[in-house]
Amino acid sequence: MKFAFVLAAAIAVAALSTATGSDSARAAANLPGVDTGQEVAPAALNPQIWSPLEKQMHRLHNRARLRNDLPPVRATNPLGRLAAYRCRQIKTNFSHDGFPQALQRFGVQARWAGENIARNFYPRNQTVQFTFDQWMGSAGHRGNILNPRYDRVGIGHCTKWNGENFWVAVFIG
């Protein structure tokens, strides 16, 4: 018997940055070597950050958005790192607690931010589709995936010793 749990309420945080933060992000974008989390083409995603399962989950997000006449969300390495960090956190405390602090810790400045989390015991070849289907079947999670305000995403996947899968999708816009 397979076990699945998807937190019923996805979280969204609004107005995270101030005008000053946005101005400094724009200024930083003009400096060489400053990582502002700008668009990264899928082929340029760091394989040390983005696993094949995470890339597959990203593709499912964008297919759903395109079917709903929304632009795709761009995967970025900085948000991938944040999602991986949150994934490790929810292995011990399955909760959205800590999401705002994680955004601050990673220096994320965004007007809008949201997070979907999930866990299940499905095998690796089924966990991506199962998790995505569960998120799309939940109003809050679906709302994050299809939110037109979000334009960037990070996906995190990790497992426990017993095969339990944990998933995190971090959205910003």
Side-chain angles (χ1 to χ4, degrees):
M1 182 169 165
K2 299 212 178 2
F3 169 79
F5 179 83
V6 176
L7 195 60
I11 185 171
V13 180
L16 290 174
S17 69
T18 63
T20 306
S22 297
D23 292 342
S24 62
R26 274 196 289 296
N30 296 322
L31 299 174
V34 175
D35 185 0
T36 60
Q38 296 300 315
E39 179 177 355
V40 176
L45 291 175
N46 184 336
Q48 298 297 322
I49 299 168
W50 288 81
S51 73
L53 293 178
E54 292 161 344
K55 289 178 184 178
Q56 183 181 351
M57 180 67 81
H58 176 239
R59 283 190 297 274
L60 291 175
H61 278 68
N62 281 336
R63 283 185 195 147
R65 289 177 64 89
L66 291 172
R67 279 194 303 271
N68 286 276
D69 297 320
L70 294 167
V73 285
R74 297 175 309 227
T76 70
N77 288 324
L79 289 179
R81 284 187 202 94
L82 170 58
Y85 172 80
R86 285 291 295 143
C87 198
R88 289 188 303 275
Q89 282 188 322
I90 67 168
K91 279 171 62 172
T92 58
N93 179 23
F94 189 73
S95 165
H96 290 292
D97 294 348
F99 178 56
Q101 294 83 358
L103 292 171
Q104 288 178 334
R105 177 183 177 134
F106 281 78
V108 174
Q109 295 182 348
R111 187 174 187 110
W112 305 97
E115 175 183 66
N116 287 352
I117 63 175
R119 67 183 186 189
N120 64 65
F121 280 98
Y122 277 77
R124 289 181 67 81
N125 66 339
Q126 296 175 12
T127 186
V128 176
Q129 189 66 55
F130 174 81
T131 302
F132 185 76
D133 291 346
Q134 290 295 305
W135 280 344
M136 289 302 286
S138 159
H141 296 96
R142 180 183 177 88
N144 275 342
I145 293 167
L146 300 179
N147 189 328
R149 292 182 175 129
Y150 297 145
D151 61 2
R152 284 159 286 163
V153 69
I155 306 287
H157 171 256
C158 56
T159 58
K160 275 190 175 177
W161 62 271
N162 62 359
E164 186 174 16
N165 295 285
F166 292 84
W167 286 95
V168 175
V170 174
F171 305 91
I172 66 169

